[in-house]
Short mmCIF file of all heavy atoms in Angstrom, two decimals:
data_model
loop_
_atom_site.label_atom_id
_atom_site.label_comp_id
_atom_site.label_asym_id
_atom_site.label_seq_id
_atom_site.Cartn_x
_atom_site.Cartn_y
_atom_site.Cartn_z
N TRP A 468 93.08 99.40 96.29
CA TRP A 468 94.02 98.70 95.38
C TRP A 468 95.45 99.05 95.73
O TRP A 468 96.31 98.22 95.80
CB TRP A 468 93.71 99.08 93.94
CG TRP A 468 94.69 98.41 93.00
CD1 TRP A 468 94.59 97.14 92.53
CD2 TRP A 468 95.91 98.94 92.53
NE1 TRP A 468 95.73 96.87 91.76
CE2 TRP A 468 96.56 97.96 91.71
CE3 TRP A 468 96.58 100.18 92.68
CZ2 TRP A 468 97.77 98.16 91.08
CZ3 TRP A 468 97.82 100.36 92.06
CH2 TRP A 468 98.37 99.36 91.27
N LYS A 677 87.96 132.58 100.44
CA LYS A 677 87.64 132.16 99.10
C LYS A 677 88.59 131.00 98.67
O LYS A 677 88.17 130.03 98.10
CB LYS A 677 87.87 133.29 98.09
CG LYS A 677 86.84 134.44 98.15
CD LYS A 677 87.16 135.51 97.13
CE LYS A 677 86.14 136.66 97.19
NZ LYS A 677 86.52 137.75 96.28
N LEU A 681 87.56 126.81 97.96
CA LEU A 681 87.87 126.10 96.76
C LEU A 681 88.74 124.85 97.04
O LEU A 681 88.47 123.75 96.49
CB LEU A 681 88.65 127.00 95.81
CG LEU A 681 87.79 128.10 95.12
CD1 LEU A 681 88.67 129.12 94.41
CD2 LEU A 681 86.82 127.50 94.13
N PHE A 722 98.42 118.94 108.53
CA PHE A 722 99.82 118.70 108.21
C PHE A 722 100.32 117.44 108.94
O PHE A 722 101.09 116.66 108.37
CB PHE A 722 100.69 119.88 108.61
CG PHE A 722 100.73 120.99 107.60
CD1 PHE A 722 100.74 122.28 107.97
CD2 PHE A 722 100.85 120.70 106.23
CE1 PHE A 722 100.83 123.33 107.03
CE2 PHE A 722 100.91 121.70 105.26
CZ PHE A 722 100.91 123.03 105.69
#
Side-chain angles (χ1 to χ4, degrees):
W468 179 84
K677 288 179 183 177
L681 287 168
F722 276 142

